[in-house]
Amino acid sequence: MNARTPHERMQVWLSRLLIAGVWIAAVLCAAGIVLSLLAGNATPPRTPFAGVAPGLDSPMGVLRSAMRFEGPGVMAMGVLALVATPVLRVAFSLVLFVRERDRLYIGVTAVVLALLAIGLFTGLAE
């Protein structure tokens, strides 16, 4: 008999979400490395880091590059997936707390999600 409480089921779903997000990010980064090697980009530039590669400075640019199977774009998509994973966890937690009608945790989680969104969108605006 495997009777779990709603709280235990929620923890299982949240842990699965985190595990899936990390695996997706790892696979995308590894695929991006392979694509870069196949394209002949085996050696990194010898210049100091000068910022983000052209075209990879926005989520849409990353998506376009990844859709063209360009190594740096696929790697950047992996990094975006890694960053999005904890944000999705907070959003998923909010949904679960709403379903449980737990007002305290709904409020706290909503504030955390709002702060994450503010940080994300103000960072994208620069």
Side-chain angles (χ1 to χ4, degrees):
M1 234 184 201
N2 193 8
R4 289 189 171 148
T5 66
H7 180 73
E8 289 172 333
R9 283 195 300 270
M10 182 176 89
Q11 292 301 321
V12 169
W13 278 105
L14 291 174
S15 67
R16 287 179 181 166
L17 175 69
L18 289 174
I19 291 168
V22 170
W23 274 106
I24 289 168
V27 167
L28 286 169
C29 287
I33 291 169
V34 169
L35 288 170
S36 290
L37 291 172
L38 291 174
N41 301 333
T43 55
R46 300 281 182 213
T47 59
F49 181 70
V52 179
L56 298 179
D57 54 356
S58 72
M60 286 308 296
V62 170
L63 182 61
R64 279 191 288 273
S65 179
M67 295 298 284
R68 289 190 301 264
F69 295 102
E70 296 172 351
V74 174
M75 282 188 275
M77 185 61 87
V79 172
L80 285 178
L82 191 62
V83 169
T85 298
V87 177
L88 288 174
R89 183 188 196 278
V90 173
F92 190 65
S93 296
L94 180 61
V95 170
L96 293 174
F97 291 135
V98 167
R99 287 182 63 196
E100 290 182 357
R101 297 186 178 128
D102 190 335
R103 288 189 215 161
L104 175 64
Y105 283 108
I106 290 170
V108 170
T109 307
V111 168
V112 170
L113 190 59
L115 291 171
L116 287 170
I118 290 167
L120 176 67
F121 292 117
T122 57
L124 290 177
E126 291 183 10

